[in-house]
Amino acid sequence: MNTGTTLRRPSTATLDYYLLHAEADEARATGLWIEEFVLSDDLGAARLRSTGWAPGDDGWSSSAAFARAIRTDPELRARVTAIDRATAEATYRRLGGGDLPDEEALRGRFRDDSPLHSAAPLRLGTGPDVHRVLFAGAPDAHQIARLSALLRLDGTPGPDGVRPGVVGTGRLRVDDTNFRWDLRRLGPGIAWCIDVHSERPGADALRWLLRQLLDAGRGHGLLPVTVERLS
């Protein structure tokens, strides 16, 4: 992400791919887990769709309970590794699945959705819109340093009580809209979020940016939980 750069033609969102491992820190994958957040008109997440695959039998299964469990159980979450589609395709082929179905076909495997909270936000004034990308996880200092560099954070957290938990702030201009985001620690390292502030954004620009921030967190030890519109 280049601070001050105006980006055009935001890309469309894709599915989220993960490797499944039998044990934490085990290199060998035993299957795949695939997810998609469905956003409402205000770009808050309305539901989480997911499916998993492992060799044998039909192979595919959809479980909202598992999707919730990997967000609440640190030991289970340690067995899930974020990857890109190319790695998912190679893994699927190596484990005997053949060619991984395209994304529309994979969406047909989503059969047990998790509804997400979608109450109307409380408007506290005429300030900027705020969307929060909420993550579970406890990344180490190295992962946070790399994530901070990727997000181009200024590294100047606010004083306690004013901006509690804020690691730093990044900025970007997308399609004539100015965005600002804060990487924030919530509680004693058990959850993180990226709060995105925008002045009357175009929906496509904000959708693109939320996708980039979600992917950035996925690549640095964080698992997306939801996207909330706070105001």
Side-chain angles (χ1 to χ4, degrees):
M1 294 184 185
N2 296 317
T3 303
T5 301
T6 300
L7 302 179
R8 299 292 178 180
R9 299 180 183 177
S11 60
T12 58
T14 58
L15 304 181
D16 297 333
Y17 298 89
Y18 299 88
L19 294 180
L20 296 178
H21 306 274
E23 300 290 342
D25 300 324
E26 181 178 299
R28 184 178 60 88
T30 58
L32 297 175
W33 185 253
I34 303 170
E35 297 184 335
E36 178 182 42
F37 285 97
V38 179
L39 303 184
S40 59
D41 290 342
D42 68 1
L43 299 186
R47 56 196 167 116
L48 173 62
R49 314 190 71 201
S50 57
T51 189
W53 176 86
D57 299 327
D58 179 53
W60 293 95
S61 62
S62 187
S63 171
F66 183 80
R68 290 190 296 269
I70 60 176
R71 288 162 168 83
T72 57
D73 183 340
E75 292 185 4
L76 185 58
R77 187 165 57 248
R79 294 166 47 196
V80 178
T81 303
I83 55 172
D84 57 18
R85 172 153 179 116
T87 303
E89 290 174 337
T91 302
Y92 188 73
R93 187 174 299 109
R94 178 171 54 80
L95 294 178
D99 292 333
L100 184 67
D102 63 29
E103 295 204 331
E104 282 307 305
L106 288 173
R107 287 184 175 94
R109 304 285 186 175
F110 297 152
R111 300 191 178 102
D112 189 14
D113 296 357
S114 298
L116 300 173
H117 180 67
S118 58
L122 177 62
R123 174 69 66 175
L124 299 178
T126 58
D129 289 339
V130 181
H131 287 74
R132 169 169 288 180
V133 186
L134 181 65
F135 298 93
D140 59 31
H142 180 64
Q143 289 172 312
I144 290 300
R146 291 179 59 190
L147 178 58
S148 297
L150 177 63
L151 297 180
R152 300 292 181 91
L153 301 186
D154 59 18
T156 55
D160 290 344
V162 178
R163 301 174 70 205
V166 173
V167 173
T169 298
R171 293 172 176 82
L172 185 67
R173 185 172 177 82
V174 182
D175 287 349
D176 300 321
T177 298
N178 291 319
F179 293 96
R180 186 185 88 246
W181 55 86
D182 300 322
L183 176 63
R184 185 187 301 266
R185 180 187 295 106
L186 301 175
I190 58 174
W192 292 75
C193 70
I194 302 176
D195 289 341
V196 182
H197 306 255
S198 53
E199 297 283 355
R200 295 180 297 278
D204 286 344
L206 179 56
R207 185 184 295 273
W208 177 87
L209 181 59
L210 291 172
R211 178 73 215 182
Q212 305 311 304
L213 297 175
L214 185 150
D215 279 344
R218 288 180 65 242
H220 294 84
L222 294 171
L223 184 66
V225 174
T226 190
V227 180
E228 301 172 318
R229 183 183 175 191
L230 302 183
S231 64

